[in-house]
Amino acid sequence: MDKQKEIIKQKIIENLEFYGITWDENQHKILVDNDDDFRKIQRKLAERTNLKGQKHKSEVEKYIAQPSDIDISKINPYLVMVESKEDHQQLWSYATTYWSIPVTVGYGRRIRYFVFDRQNDKLIGIVGLCDPVIGLGVRDSDSIGWTKDQKMQRLYNCMTAYILGAIPPYNQLLGAKLVALTLMFPKVREDFYQKYKNSPSIITGVNKKPYLIYIDTLGAFGKSAIYNRLLNWDFVNYTKGQSHLHITANGSWELIKQVVPEEVFETYRFGEGPNWKMRILKRGLRELGLSEDMLSIGWQRGYYRCPLAENWKEYLLGDTNRVVWRKFTQRDLVRYWHDRWITPRLDILKTHLQCPPDIIV
């Protein structure tokens, strides 16, 4: 190994150690003691990636609620699609500063929403959808059960919620559960249809029916309280614990890119974001004489699904081309949130509303 590669290798190991992760060269194993350490690592990585938006505080604070702005019994959400204009980008960037895990930008197709409260036009939270990972065992085997060919035909009809949550003070009021319910608003699948109705699939080149059939997401640490016992959100199983965030979010991505041949980078195809990055990382680690096991950090994350159609499995398996939508209305979903989660806890939630703001996850 030449001198430059040895320097890069040592710098990557130092970056891991700075964030509390030990690489055991003999065992080819990442060493993290317990779940609390995982949380500390993620929080430290988030401080590096998420805090840039704080510079926009003065521009966006008019959208951030104070406790006195909120009558809990009158919370009523509405969605605004995030656009490229500056004020939207500033508000999105600022909202992500409350997350305690690194926030990515998503991959491929993206639809992002602000969730506002109609009673005061303040921001409840945010949610972002992006293209799903092409290879995800817990989805492919445990949830849908499709073949490779079936997946290539109908993965187009799936999206992943790569960020979802409520910001203070709504995060003290079970606001994240409300944000998760907004993905079932008819507006979301209608927006998806309008945005992609004349857009051929990048992977297959075919102009497919842009029906948003299936949304999934991952809990940050194991299972997530957001989706627990929540209408139409089902826990399926856990992921295997491979990740690249502990490497890419700590500054090592730029280092690894230096040792990967240029022609390997040119293998990227739109729609392959996460899978492509994992391939690049594995190649880079091999070039440096490091094991691919460095990606196996053990962050097992809970996998959740939110089907929008009654016959979602039949459609995704290609057994039918007809969609039978689940009959969710915005009004019914908001009423469910109030009746199931808010009214029985109203007194204690009023106390929570006076608590100081905290991070999201």
Side-chain angles (χ1 to χ4, degrees):
M1 179 182 298
D2 61 41
K3 185 176 180 180
Q4 182 62 23
K5 285 187 177 180
E6 183 62 33
I7 292 172
I8 291 174
K9 175 182 176 180
Q10 292 305 315
K11 179 60 178 174
I12 289 171
I13 293 173
E14 289 172 9
N15 285 349
L16 289 173
E17 291 175 347
F18 178 78
Y19 288 95
I21 303 169
T22 301
W23 171 245
D24 189 314
E25 187 72 45
N26 295 322
Q27 298 185 57
H28 293 285
K29 184 179 180 181
I30 288 282
L31 300 180
V32 180
D33 289 338
N34 52 52
D35 288 344
D36 286 340
D37 285 340
F38 281 134
R39 291 178 181 272
K40 290 176 183 177
I41 292 165
Q42 290 275 40
R43 186 167 297 187
K44 200 167 184 179
L45 289 169
E47 290 173 357
R48 176 186 175 92
T49 60
N50 299 357
L51 298 185
K52 298 175 183 177
Q54 288 184 341
K55 63 185 178 183
H56 302 305
K57 182 177 180 179
S58 61
E59 290 91 351
V60 305
E61 58 186 355
K62 62 184 177 182
Y63 298 111
I64 309 303
Q66 299 300 316
S68 58
D69 296 322
I70 301 172
D71 181 335
I72 300 175
S73 63
K74 293 182 179 179
I75 294 174
N76 187 14
Y78 66 94
L79 295 172
V80 173
M81 190 183 294
V82 179
E83 300 176 6
S84 59
K85 54 188 181 181
E86 185 178 14
D87 59 336
H88 277 207
Q89 298 305 313
Q90 289 175 343
L91 181 56
W92 181 272
S93 180
Y94 179 76
T96 63
T97 64
Y98 289 103
W99 262 251
S100 66
I101 62 173
V103 175
T104 68
V105 297
Y107 297 96
R109 299 171 300 169
R110 287 190 302 166
I111 297 180
R112 298 180 295 167
Y113 290 102
F114 297 121
V115 184
F116 286 105
D117 189 348
R118 200 173 299 278
Q119 70 172 305
N120 53 30
D121 293 318
K122 304 296 186 180
L123 186 65
I124 296 174
I126 59 175
V127 59
L129 299 176
C130 72
D131 267 330
V133 176
I134 291 180
L136 185 63
V138 65
R139 177 200 65 213
D140 298 338
S141 299
D142 299 347
S143 182
I144 300 173
W146 51 15
T147 65
K148 182 178 179 180
D149 288 342
Q150 289 170 328
K151 178 169 65 173
M152 293 304 292
Q153 290 301 315
R154 294 289 165 95
L155 187 63
Y156 181 84
N157 302 103
C158 304
M159 293 286 272
T160 291
Y162 68 93
I163 183 171
L164 185 158
I167 69 167
Y170 288 95
N171 66 328
Q172 306 286 341
L173 307 174
L174 300 175
K177 287 184 179 290
L178 181 59
V179 173
L181 290 169
T182 66
L183 287 177
M184 290 175 260
F185 286 5
K187 173 180 171 58
V188 174
R189 58 180 173 84
E190 291 165 4
D191 285 345
F192 182 85
Y193 185 89
Q194 291 300 321
K195 185 169 185 177
Y196 297 111
K197 63 181 178 181
N198 296 315
S199 301
S201 166
I202 298 296
I203 296 175
T204 65
V206 176
N207 197 354
K208 299 183 177 183
K209 290 290 186 182
Y211 299 142
L212 180 54
I213 303 294
Y214 184 98
I215 297 172
D216 61 12
T217 196
L218 296 172
F221 305 100
K223 288 188 175 182
S224 170
I226 295 175
Y227 312 102
N228 184 34
R229 296 178 292 159
L230 189 64
L231 177 70
N232 201 50
W233 280 95
D234 302 316
F235 171 75
V236 178
N237 209 331
Y238 294 98
T239 63
K240 292 182 178 179
Q242 270 208 335
S243 174
H244 61 71
L245 283 177
H246 59 292
I247 297 176
T248 56
N250 73 12
S252 295
W253 172 243
E254 295 300 323
L255 295 171
I256 286 177
K257 285 165 61 177
Q258 295 179 37
V259 301
V260 176
E262 184 176 345
E263 62 269 18
V264 176
F265 270 84
E266 294 175 355
T267 62
Y268 174 77
R269 288 194 301 164
F270 191 76
E272 290 189 350
N275 302 74
W276 173 82
K277 183 165 279 190
M278 290 293 276
R279 290 200 304 270
I280 295 297
L281 285 168
K282 289 177 180 179
R283 176 62 181 269
L285 292 173
R286 290 198 301 270
E287 292 283 340
L288 294 169
L290 291 167
S291 170
E292 295 177 9
D293 292 335
M294 188 173 279
L295 298 170
S296 299
I297 193 167
W299 280 330
Q300 285 195 316
R301 304 175 67 182
Y303 175 84
Y304 295 85
R305 69 184 178 209
C306 176
L308 301 184
E310 293 289 354
N311 60 338
W312 63 272
K313 181 168 283 192
E314 290 85 352
Y315 189 89
L316 294 179
L317 294 177
D319 294 336
T320 183
N321 292 319
R322 185 176 69 93
V323 181
V324 181
W325 296 109
R326 291 188 168 171
K327 299 186 184 302
F328 297 121
T329 69
Q330 180 168 334
R331 182 177 180 179
D332 288 344
L333 288 164
V334 174
R335 183 186 294 120
Y336 157 80
W337 179 75
H338 277 283
D339 291 347
R340 173 66 177 83
W341 297 102
I342 301 306
T343 302
R345 302 170 175 82
L346 190 56
D347 289 340
I348 193 169
L349 289 175
K350 287 179 179 178
T351 302
H352 289 175
L353 187 57
Q354 306 307 318
C355 293
D358 200 358
I359 51 181
I360 304 301
V361 180

